Amino acid sequence: MDRGNLTVEVDFHLLGFSDLPNLQEFLFGIFLVMYLSILIGNGLIILITKADPSLQTPMYFFLGNFSFLEICYATVTLPRMLIDLWTHNGNISLLACASQLCFFLIFGITECFLLAVMAYDRYVAICKPLYYLVIMRHQVCIGLVVGSWITGIPVVIGLIYQIFSMPFCVPTKINQVFCDVYPVLQVSCGDTSMSELSVYADVVLFAIIPFILILNSYIRIITTILKFPSKVGRSKAFSTCSSHLAVVSLFFITAIMTHLQTKSSHSIVTERVLSIFYTTVTPLVNPMIYSLRNKDVILALRKLLIK
């Protein structure tokens, strides 16, 4: 390839919703409402899990951390998306693009592990209730949360360095609403096979393995619940797991479908819809799922509103 088409100092351009020029203001309003709803909804979950004494249990400790993670996850992409929609300017520097992708992947990996930790918490609570407080003591819970946050950081930094060390072609137009793996690889002029292989390995290690662990926990949970003699006991046990299971389904199905595509089979429209779904819709509906399906959360929320 002609050296004149290679970039030295790269500035990317996020195309975003530029193919929908008449809907820019409308989309700005929609995503602004969604982002504010994510902040308020997840913020309330954090507040009530910290303030209400009845929610000082491992399950709600994980839920509060999960809500904080959802705020971070949405903040990586949505504010930038809102700025681009408002200014009609999708220019982003290489450093800003690399930073956005780095934090996006770190938070995504953290979510995978934290969902697996929450599934393990439910497994211990239902399958080993007499040992629950011994196994899930506070120090263990803190260790599991910290481990979820830091496990993927070295690998992600290595992957980001690998991707952004490659040469990029002019024009560097990224056909996505934020810097994601495959849209960035598409504007590279170098051989991306090693980067794609690294992405597949990371998906297996940090998404599929936690997903298998979650499935294993729920197989054991369901097997135990079905042995309960009373229908009321079975119903109560299922209700404590249904919210988490719904969140797991929403996040993992869309995330794995997105990142197991190859560069050649990559669909711009499909990735845009899926990425918006698991970066915006999932953090938006999580507080609703946990609030509507959890009587303790509803009661704590009522107490907070009365105060």
Side-chain angles (χ1 to χ4, degrees), residues 40 47 84 133 181 210 273:
I40 294 170
L47 184 60
D84 292 345
L133 294 178
V181 173
V273 172

Side-chain angles (χ1 to χ4, degrees), residues 43-186:
L44 282 174
I45 296 290
I46 296 170
L47 184 60
I48 61 176
T49 55
K50 293 293 184 183
D52 196 303
S54 65
L55 301 184
Q56 303 302 307
T57 63
M59 181 176 76
Y60 295 108
F61 172 75
F62 293 133
L63 179 56
N65 279 275
F66 184 72
S67 295
F68 174 71
L69 174 63
E70 292 293 69
I71 291 174
C72 295
Y73 200 42
T75 302
V76 171
T77 57
L78 275 174
R80 176 79 206 192
M81 193 189 309
L82 290 170
I83 292 171
D84 292 345
L85 285 169
W86 183 258
T87 62
H88 303 276
N89 180 11
N91 290 337
I92 183 171
S93 68
L94 182 144
L95 180 60
C97 185
S99 299
Q100 185 183 56
L101 181 55
C102 182
F103 284 107
F104 173 72
L105 293 177
I106 288 172
F107 293 146
I109 289 171
T110 302
E111 183 151 348
C112 292
F113 279 108
L114 198 52
L115 287 170
V117 167
M118 294 170 76
Y120 175 71
D121 172 71
R122 292 298 82 208
Y123 158 73
V124 176
I126 292 173
C127 300
K128 299 182 179 181
L130 297 178
Y131 301 97
Y132 180 68
L133 294 178
V134 176
I135 296 174
M136 302 304 294
R137 53 191 189 276
H138 190 61
Q139 293 85 350
V140 173
C141 294
I142 292 175
L144 289 171
V145 169
V146 171
S148 298
W149 277 93
I150 67 174
T151 299
I153 292 177
V155 176
V156 169
I157 292 175
L159 179 63
I160 294 298
Y161 177 79
Q162 182 182 29
I163 291 174
F164 286 91
S165 294
M166 294 187 295
F168 293 94
C169 304
V170 175
T172 49
K173 293 182 178 180
I174 299 177
N175 201 346
Q176 180 57 288
V177 294
F178 61 91
C179 290
D180 202 355
V181 173
Y182 289 107
V184 171
L185 289 177
Q186 281 197 318

Side-chain angles (χ1 to χ4, degrees), residues 14-31:
L14 294 168
L15 295 179
F17 297 100
S18 57
D19 55 336
L20 303 170
N22 297 326
L23 295 177
Q24 299 279 305
E25 288 76 14
F26 174 74
L27 290 172
F28 175 84
I30 292 293
F31 285 115

Side-chain angles (χ1 to χ4, degrees), residues 250-266:
L250 282 171
F251 177 77
F252 273 99
I253 291 173
T254 52
I256 290 175
M257 284 176 61
T258 300
H259 291 100
L260 281 183
Q261 299 180 86
T262 62
K263 186 178 175 181
S264 57
S265 67
H266 171 76

